[in-house]
Amino acid sequence: MSRHAAGSVVVVDWRTGGLPQEPNRLRPAVVVEDHEIFPDDYPNMLVVPLTRDEGLAHRSFSERIDPTPGNGVETTCWALAHHVSSVSLRRVSGTPSRVTAAQLAAIRGRIALAIGPAG
């Protein structure tokens, strides 16, 4: 088990415990946490799932990810910021792919929008 850098595209095994409209299979996701905030032995990480289903992508809370050699996606997909999740590192497999710094910043901004203002 290892931590992955923010912006990394990983594969998360959500095959156990998913209910309708929750991830319930192997699914790519983007790491959104700053791995330096958490200790190396912390067992979870924060991710946002990716989907090709535009119907699940609420426009205000989803970032469009078009295919590039660097991100490894095969078709246009959406980072579902409103589905930000803490997942066990044991569910996560790394890939060599990553989103751009601008896309990561946009995803994080959409997470903040979905959570709402502080106070």
Side-chain angles (χ1 to χ4, degrees), residues 14-20 22-24:
W14 271 299
R15 291 182 285 194
T16 58
L19 297 172
E22 291 181 334
N24 60 4

Side-chain angles (χ1 to χ4, degrees), residues 15 18 25 37 39 41 47 59 70 78 80 86-87 89 94 103 114:
R15 291 182 285 194
R25 58 188 166 90
I37 293 174
D41 61 348
V47 299
R59 294 284 184 191
W78 301 89
L80 303 178
S86 175
V87 296
L89 291 174
Q103 289 169 322

